[in-house]
Amino acid sequence: MLARFSRLESWLATLCLAVVAGAAMGPLSPVVDAQRARTANDAVYTDAQAVRGRALYQQRCAVCHGERLSGGLAPPLSGSAFLGAWGGQSLWDLLSKIRNTMPADDPGKLTPSQSADLVAHLLQVGKFPSGEAELGTDAAGLKAIVLPAQPSIASVASRAPTLPATGNLQQLMAGILFPSSNIIFNVQTNDPSVPAKPGEVGKGAFSWVDWGAGIYSGWDLVDNAAVSVAESAPLLLTPGRRCQNGRPVPIDRPDWIKFTQGLAEAGRAAYKASQTRSQEAVTEATNQLADACLNCHRVYRDKPGGTRADPSNKAARCVPSAGG
Ligand code: HEC
Ligand code: HEC
């Protein structure tokens, strides 16, 4: 086992140090305190700013997102579909998304104040009230303003069919979480902005990083890996799935559920970090990701008391540790 997963294991060993160093810097993206937070309803931009944003939008964005922000080649930037995706997130998240990844065909060139003007235009079209003060560009101020959350989508979820499990838990881990989190961990030492060298594109057909590099950009790969990690968390709760040793995955245990939530949060945090296109931010986010894996593995995977026939004691996996 150690040989097969030595790459991940060594990342995790490296990360033990990084976690300690990271702790002093505080959490990466503190959850906005709902009581103190302002929302986009609190008149956070001016009409003049929205007018500037409108002109820029027509020039740079309308071709994909539609003149009226109702979507086209790209998703709508107003209405319930937009708020369904962005409700609960801060204006900093929105501004960063625009500044770092838009326009999708020529990203990274908007200034902070142009990006803020564009946010103001989005807010005006979204019928959020304007006010006396312009929307600023500083992170702390923008993080404190959230877009209002949408009503829950629980009714949709209850209509969705339950799809049966195809693989066991070990296959799910090795097939989805292992490659995806390795891509994210790779950002610690590889800058995704650096394009692959001509001779290296498409090498190593089974290395996701090399193989994918011919099709998606480095940052797209990291985005997609982080989304895969977050979206795979519910699969750890699929009824009927078994572990490799045949035991049922303990989907009803509160700590198991908590660990899967931790995994989803870590995936979302990694995605958010990746969207800032900052190698440093993703490197910091890998601490949370490594913890999310370790927290569950400590209890449910890494069992002491192996035998010669079963050195890593796989037979004992998927039952809670004594005292754990
Ligand atoms: C070449 C087409 C194109 C242009 C031009 C473009 N976008 Fe986008 N935009 C996309 C696509 C495709 C997506 C969906 C994928 C993604 O989120 O990156 C997107 C997503 C977004 C999102 C997130 C929407 C959501 O529902 O998550 C925002 C906000 C956004 N764009 C703003 C802008 C702004 C502002 C501009 C102009 C500065 C702009 N875009 C220009 C193609 C474009
Ligand atoms: C909710 C609990 C939980 C979380 C979260 C979790 N794992 Fe696992 N993982 C397990 C269990 C249990 C096994 C053993 C599965 C089996 O034997 O069927 C396992 C097995 C694995 C394996 C196979 C190793 C082997 O020896 O068979 C890999 C690789 C792995 N996990 C990677 C990850 C990574 C990477 C993350 C985080 C991104 C992660 N896991 C998050 C519970 C979890």
Side-chain angles (χ1 to χ4, degrees), residues 286-320:
T286 58
N287 293 337
Q288 189 181 345
L289 185 59
D291 281 349
C293 311
L294 278 177
N295 289 342
C296 187
H297 287 168
R298 255 199 294 262
V299 180
Y300 285 102
R301 187 189 76 170
D302 302 332
K303 301 293 189 177
T307 60
R308 189 176 301 177
D310 180 14
S312 55
N313 203 1
K314 288 188 174 178
R317 286 179 170 181
C318 296
V319 280

Side-chain angles (χ1 to χ4, degrees), residues 116-157:
D117 292 351
L118 286 162
V119 170
H121 177 53
L122 263 57
L123 293 177
Q124 186 146 70
V125 175
K127 302 211 165 32
F128 294 101
S130 59
E132 301 296 314
E134 291 213 336
L135 188 66
T137 57
D138 72 302
L142 289 172
K143 279 181 187 167
I145 309 171
V146 294
L147 287 157
Q150 279 293 97
S152 118
I153 52 164
S155 59
V156 178

Side-chain angles (χ1 to χ4, degrees), residues 2-324:
L2 278 178
R4 254 164 66 217
F5 296 105
S6 58
R7 178 158 193 192
L8 178 66
E9 302 290 347
S10 69
W11 275 123
L12 294 181
T14 320
L15 284 167
C16 291
L17 297 168
V19 171
V20 175
M25 294 181 249
L28 174 69
S29 51
V31 178
V32 180
D33 180 340
Q35 297 198 309
R36 270 179 315 172
R38 297 157 71 205
T39 76
N41 282 312
D42 295 325
V44 297
Y45 69 93
T46 67
D47 286 334
Q49 193 175 20
V51 168
R52 292 198 304 269
R54 181 168 187 279
L56 193 56
Y57 179 89
Q58 296 304 338
Q59 251 178 301
R60 311 285 290 276
C61 321
V63 59
C64 292
H65 290 281
E67 302 256 322
R68 296 161 169 272
L69 285 68
S70 51
L73 299 173
L77 301 179
S78 66
S80 58
F82 178 68
L83 283 181
W86 283 87
Q89 300 201 57
S90 74
L91 293 189
W92 173 250
D93 295 325
L94 182 58
L95 181 137
S96 303
K97 167 79 188 171
I98 293 172
R99 183 171 176 214
N100 298 313
T101 74
M102 292 296 137
D105 53 355
D106 189 25
K109 306 217 172 104
L110 295 167
T111 65
S113 65
Q114 284 177 320
S115 308
D117 292 351
L118 286 162
V119 170
H121 177 53
L122 263 57
L123 293 177
Q124 186 146 70
V125 175
K127 302 211 165 32
F128 294 101
S130 59
E132 301 296 314
E134 291 213 336
L135 188 66
T137 57
D138 72 302
L142 289 172
K143 279 181 187 167
I145 309 171
V146 294
L147 287 157
Q150 279 293 97
S152 118
I153 52 164
S155 59
V156 178
S158 64
R159 273 187 279 120
T162 347
L163 299 170
T166 302
N168 67 32
L169 185 68
Q170 196 273 345
Q171 290 170 318
L172 206 61
M173 292 283 157
I176 301 178
L177 289 179
F178 180 64
S180 295
S181 51
N182 262 342
I183 289 175
I184 301 169
F185 291 134
N186 277 343
V187 178
Q188 292 181 339
T189 49
N190 295 281
D191 181 351
S193 322
V194 177
K197 295 191 191 91
E200 288 174 2
V201 173
K203 264 198 188 167
F206 295 103
S207 156
W208 281 44
V209 174
D210 292 349
W211 171 83
I215 303 171
Y216 302 110
S217 80
W219 278 117
D220 283 341
L221 280 169
V222 180
D223 278 352
N224 297 341
V227 168
S228 304
V229 168
E231 299 280 3
S232 69
L235 301 178
L236 302 185
L237 297 171
T238 303
R241 192 185 308 283
R242 291 177 176 276
C243 297
Q244 198 176 30
N245 59 15
R247 293 178 196 274
V249 175
I251 58 172
D252 294 328
R253 290 194 51 92
D255 61 345
W256 181 268
I257 294 168
K258 193 186 76 193
F259 294 143
T260 57
Q261 285 166 337
L263 180 67
E265 280 158 24
R268 279 196 293 272
Y271 181 54
K272 210 172 233 193
S274 179
Q275 289 272 292
T276 69
R277 298 304 189 237
S278 152
Q279 189 177 8
E280 197 187 336
V282 176
T283 299
E284 276 187 48
T286 58
N287 293 337
Q288 189 181 345
L289 185 59
D291 281 349
C293 311
L294 278 177
N295 289 342
C296 187
H297 287 168
R298 255 199 294 262
V299 180
Y300 285 102
R301 187 189 76 170
D302 302 332
K303 301 293 189 177
T307 60
R308 189 176 301 177
D310 180 14
S312 55
N313 203 1
K314 288 188 174 178
R317 286 179 170 181
C318 296
V319 280
S321 299

